[in-house]
Amino acid sequence: LKPENILLVNADYDLVTTSSGSQRRKLKNTQIRLIDFGSATFDHEHHTRVVSTRHYRAPEVILDLGWYQKCDVWSVGCIIFELYTGNTLFQTHDNSEHLKMMEKILGELPYRMMKKSPKSYVNNGFIDCSFNTRHYVNNHCKPLHTHKPSDISSRQHEILLDLIKRMLEYCPAYRITMK
């Protein structure tokens, strides 16, 4: 799942004025359609090692620990964040950088997951990355709870952030379901 594969049924909108005086588009119909099921896999079918577009890829996929439908919950969490803030949560093209970003934004990855990973960028349960990667992540990523659009109430923000956090739970067994 990725934003490019989520289409509006109807893109008609009204212009509304926010409390700050700016104008926003408000959709008349929020129904969507998902498209491009090219890599969809049933439980009983062969699972490739890598699935999902990079920016929306779950940690179990990056760590090569196997995956199932819960990786889609992770992807949707990333998409909701992007729709909410206008920014991609994990803007990267490198696995070790991606994992470092996760740690900076969501907190430390579970050692048990890291220790099980056969990937070369995980060394003795820790992410093996360059100084430049660490420097970039420290300067360009901030913890999830610090992202807040200015025109939303604190209560609405807390509720949505709680949902996103539950969707971005590292361990798929503890990640919420789509239901």
Side-chain angles (χ1 to χ4, degrees):
L1 296 171
K2 59 184 174 182
E4 292 85 357
N5 292 342
I6 303 172
L7 302 178
L8 295 170
V9 170
N10 184 332
D12 290 344
Y13 62 89
D14 292 316
L15 283 177
V16 296
T17 304
T18 66
S19 59
S20 64
S22 63
Q23 294 239 317
R24 289 259 170 121
R25 294 177 184 177
K26 182 177 180 184
L27 289 172
K28 292 180 179 183
N29 179 351
T30 57
Q31 287 185 322
I32 61 171
R33 294 288 184 264
L34 296 179
I35 63 166
D36 191 358
F37 294 92
S39 61
T41 305
F42 289 102
D43 284 338
H44 67 280
E45 294 179 331
H46 170 73
H47 283 50
T48 59
R49 291 172 61 193
V50 178
V51 68
S52 303
T53 299
R54 158 74 62 203
H55 309 309
Y56 311 98
R57 194 170 290 159
E60 63 269 22
V61 178
I62 298 169
L63 294 169
D64 198 12
L65 300 176
W67 57 268
Y68 61 106
Q69 291 85 357
K70 289 277 187 103
C71 71
D72 289 330
V73 174
W74 179 279
S75 296
V76 172
C78 293
I79 292 166
I80 290 172
F81 176 88
E82 189 170 334
L83 293 172
Y84 179 53
T85 65
N87 298 308
T88 306
L89 189 57
F90 302 110
Q91 186 68 44
T92 183
H93 296 285
D94 176 79
N95 285 325
S96 60
E97 184 178 75
H98 198 160
L99 294 170
K100 286 306 269 185
M101 286 177 158
M102 286 178 183
E103 288 196 326
K104 179 73 176 188
I105 295 167
L106 302 170
E108 194 170 315
L109 282 150
Y111 181 76
R112 68 187 181 283
M113 284 180 75
M114 299 293 286
K115 190 74 174 156
K116 289 180 186 176
S117 177
K119 292 300 194 179
S120 62
Y121 43 82
V122 177
N123 187 0
N124 200 27
F126 296 96
I127 303 164
D128 194 8
C129 64
S130 69
F131 171 79
N132 288 339
T133 294
R134 284 191 297 275
H135 182 72
Y136 176 82
V137 168
N138 284 334
N139 289 325
H140 291 90
C141 298
K142 57 185 183 176
L144 183 67
H145 71 277
T146 64
H147 295 267
K148 182 179 184 256
S150 60
D151 63 337
I152 191 164
S153 79
S154 290
R155 183 68 185 136
Q156 289 172 319
H157 174 71
E158 288 172 20
I159 291 168
L160 188 58
L161 207 61
D162 181 62
L163 172 65
I164 294 170
K165 277 193 231 177
R166 290 171 182 231
M167 296 178 92
L168 300 180
E169 169 63 48
Y170 286 131
C171 182
Y174 300 128
R175 201 173 295 152
I176 65 170
T177 65
M178 284 299 210
K179 192 175 190 178

